[in-house]
Amino acid sequence: MAKKRSRKYKKKKRIRFHRSFFLPFLITLTAAVALGVLALAAHQWIMEPVKTKPAEVVRSDHGNETPRTEGVEPVEKEDAAGDEEESVEAEPETVSRYQEELDDPAYMEENNIYTVKPAEPGRVTMTFAGDILFDDHYAITGTVRGSGDISQGIMPEVIERMQAADIMMLNNEFAYSNRGTPTADKQFTFRARPETAAYLTDLGVDIVSLANNHAYDYGPTALEDTLDTLREKGIPYVGAGRNIAEARKPVYYIVGDLKIAFVSATQIERLDTPDTKEATETSPGVFRCWNGAKLLETIREAAQNSDFVVAYIHWGTENQAELDWAQLKQAPELIAAGANLVIGDHPHCLQPIGVIQGVPVIYSLGNFWFNSKTLDTGMVEVTIDETGIVSYQFIPCLQSGCKTTLLQGAEKERVLAYMRGISEGVRIDEDGFVSW
């Protein structure tokens, strides 16, 4: 009996212990839940006005209204930029009308086609200058001979304008070679060390004319060295070659969606047996146009294969601002054949700017950096688009003391006034922009 009681007592005691624990726990849990509900309600009551507060408008520096909100996480700039990049990449790329040519390197090489990215989409800026000479045996190179720094001869402000062009062209009036024999009985013969071709790159030159009366001064071997040197330096040339097919072949530049042809030839010397030999089917030489039939045929072909044709012609009478009959005869023929721009050189002085059937002609740009004389000179900067010429600017310069400088102020106006005085049918403003 005692044992049973003891068991009964123990059981009852356990039940009482369980109930005494459960009741306080239940009360505590109920209180905690109630407090949690109250806290959540309080948070909602406090934060709701913030969420429903209207965005404050902030005006940016650019005048655009931008909402500024509080209590909202800002968008990271990197993420926004990334979204912007994604949207740009999603836009379809513009395909050039000449994409088939651009995709065929062998065709481009065979047809003298080069490409350059324009500084301004839809437009091409071309800059032209006259005669240069890198022969160490003449005074002009004295300012750069020791240092090899072409900016000691052609001043930095001039080089800056040259380099800014999409395409820069000038007349390379000498051979690059250490070989050959000077032409007998010729008063001046010019030849420069092949290393000096690096000056062209320093100047920003993209293409040179070899159609002149000095490229052949040291004979066919030196001319071929010239062609090899320019090719090694990546400088396209026009107006001379190892045979007549190469000499008369245009150089083309595809710039954006425009294709521009460059053709060059020389009238000088005006003899049946000139010192400067014309290229033949089997021998090197220059492209001559004293008889202009082949030149006109070349221009017509170039016009059919491009949007714009530049004719760079070596002609005229030395040291005379007046135009000669051969220039006056050939200029309209070039334009009738399809030239859209005519650039002349050889007289070693400036000659007039004219216009024929809406096409501008500068008959001579004169010396650019050629000898020790003090001479007015200049560059022509032409901008074109798909409609044709957008602007035409004459940039006055001066060759003096074996340096070429960019003119400003009164000296600039003096040269512009001179060009106005000798040029008919055009207007030249105070900045050198030409209209007609």
Side-chain angles (χ1 to χ4, degrees):
M1 291 292 294
K3 202 171 185 178
K4 286 183 181 177
R5 284 196 192 110
S6 175
R7 202 180 292 126
K8 187 175 180 181
Y9 175 78
K10 287 180 179 178
K11 184 177 181 181
K12 189 174 181 181
K13 190 175 182 180
R14 285 198 300 271
I15 291 170
R16 284 178 181 175
F17 175 77
H18 179 76
R19 285 176 180 173
S20 66
F21 169 77
F22 179 75
L23 185 60
F25 173 78
L26 184 61
I27 293 170
T28 303
L29 179 62
T30 302
V33 170
L35 288 172
V37 171
L38 289 172
L40 182 63
H43 179 270
Q44 185 75 8
W45 179 76
I46 293 169
M47 295 304 295
E48 184 63 23
V50 174
K51 290 183 179 179
T52 58
K53 183 178 180 180
E56 182 182 351
V57 174
V58 180
R59 187 170 299 276
S60 71
D61 293 339
H62 301 290
N64 300 321
E65 292 185 350
T66 306
R68 182 177 66 192
T69 59
E70 297 177 14
V72 179
E73 288 296 319
V75 178
E76 293 292 334
K77 290 184 180 180
E78 291 181 2
D79 294 343
D83 293 340
E84 223 175 319
E85 288 174 5
E86 287 178 9
S87 65
V88 170
E89 289 174 1
E91 294 179 4
E93 293 185 3
T94 303
V95 178
S96 171
R97 291 183 293 128
Y98 300 101
Q99 196 61 47
E100 187 176 350
E101 295 180 23
L102 293 170
D103 291 339
D104 191 342
Y107 178 86
M108 291 182 68
E109 183 176 1
E110 181 183 353
N111 290 279
N112 277 357
I113 304 172
Y114 299 83
T115 184
V116 66
K117 184 178 180 180
E120 182 180 357
R123 292 192 171 191
V124 183
T125 297
M126 300 175 287
T127 301
F128 303 90
D131 309 332
I132 59 164
L133 178 62
F134 296 160
D135 191 327
D136 288 336
H137 296 92
Y138 289 85
I140 187 63
T141 61
T143 54
V144 304
R145 203 174 298 143
S147 64
D149 182 2
I150 191 63
S151 69
Q152 298 299 309
I154 300 175
M155 296 295 98
E157 67 273 14
V158 181
I159 296 176
E160 184 178 352
R161 291 298 295 261
M162 298 170 74
Q163 292 176 341
D166 294 315
I167 303 172
M168 170 69 211
M169 183 178 188
L170 45 68
N171 178 44
N172 197 116
E173 192 141 351
F174 57 92
Y176 293 99
S177 182
N178 294 314
R179 304 190 299 164
T181 304
T183 301
D185 301 324
K186 191 169 186 178
Q187 184 178 6
F188 299 106
T189 53
F190 304 137
R191 179 182 65 173
R193 292 176 291 110
E195 309 90 86
T196 62
Y199 294 158
L200 297 175
T201 303
D202 296 339
L203 293 170
V205 175
D206 298 288
I207 177 173
V208 297
S209 170
L210 295 175
N212 55 61
N213 55 307
H214 288 289
Y216 199 87
D217 278 358
Y218 281 74
T221 300
L223 176 59
E224 290 184 298
D225 286 347
T226 301
L227 307 181
D228 291 338
T229 297
L230 291 171
R231 183 173 290 276
E232 288 168 6
K233 293 296 182 183
I235 305 292
Y237 55 84
V238 66
R242 292 170 179 79
N243 51 54
I244 188 59
E246 181 182 1
R248 64 185 289 190
K249 197 172 190 176
V251 164
Y252 296 93
Y253 267 94
I254 295 176
V255 189
D257 210 30
L258 291 171
K259 188 177 183 183
I260 305 162
F262 294 85
V263 177
S264 189
T266 175
Q267 286 186 356
I268 313 301
E269 299 106 359
R270 298 172 176 179
L271 304 167
D272 292 334
T273 56
D275 291 330
T276 304
K277 304 301 181 185
E278 181 172 21
T280 69
E281 298 294 335
T282 57
S283 62
V286 300
F287 185 23
R288 287 178 53 79
C289 64
W290 181 235
N291 178 338
K294 283 188 281 190
L295 172 59
L296 300 181
E297 181 183 343
T298 300
I299 290 175
R300 282 190 286 268
E301 292 174 358
Q304 291 174 357
N305 294 310
S306 66
D307 303 301
F308 194 92
V309 179
V310 177
Y312 194 107
I313 310 299
H314 206 69
W315 58 6
T317 304
E318 288 189 8
N319 305 313
Q320 290 188 15
E322 295 79 13
L323 305 180
D324 66 33
W325 68 270
Q327 289 172 290
L328 293 170
K329 173 182 179 296
Q330 196 164 75
E333 293 174 348
L334 303 177
I335 293 160
N340 303 106
L341 178 68
V342 179
I343 304 291
D345 69 326
H346 172 68
H348 301 300
C349 64
L350 292 172
Q351 287 189 331
I353 299 172
V355 61
I356 301 171
Q357 298 176 12
V359 174
V361 181
I362 184 164
Y363 288 90
S364 174
L365 279 167
N367 287 354
F368 185 57
W369 192 67
F370 191 77
N371 59 26
S372 58
K373 294 180 180 179
T374 297
L375 293 169
D376 294 332
T377 183
M379 297 182 287
V380 164
E381 184 178 281
V382 181
T383 299
I384 67 171
D385 65 11
E386 60 182 4
T387 67
I389 294 176
V390 175
S391 68
Y392 184 109
Q393 185 182 20
F394 177 78
I395 304 168
C397 298
L398 181 71
Q399 176 194 268
S400 181
C402 299
K403 297 181 179 182
T404 297
T405 57
L406 194 67
L407 293 180
Q408 302 290 349
E411 279 294 283
K412 174 182 176 180
E413 177 53 34
R414 177 185 63 78
V415 176
L416 290 176
Y418 173 76
M419 293 301 291
R420 292 185 195 108
I422 64 173
S423 303
E424 296 181 2
V426 299
R427 296 177 297 279
I428 306 174
D429 73 11
E430 66 277 7
D431 292 316
F433 285 100
V434 181
S435 57
W436 52 90

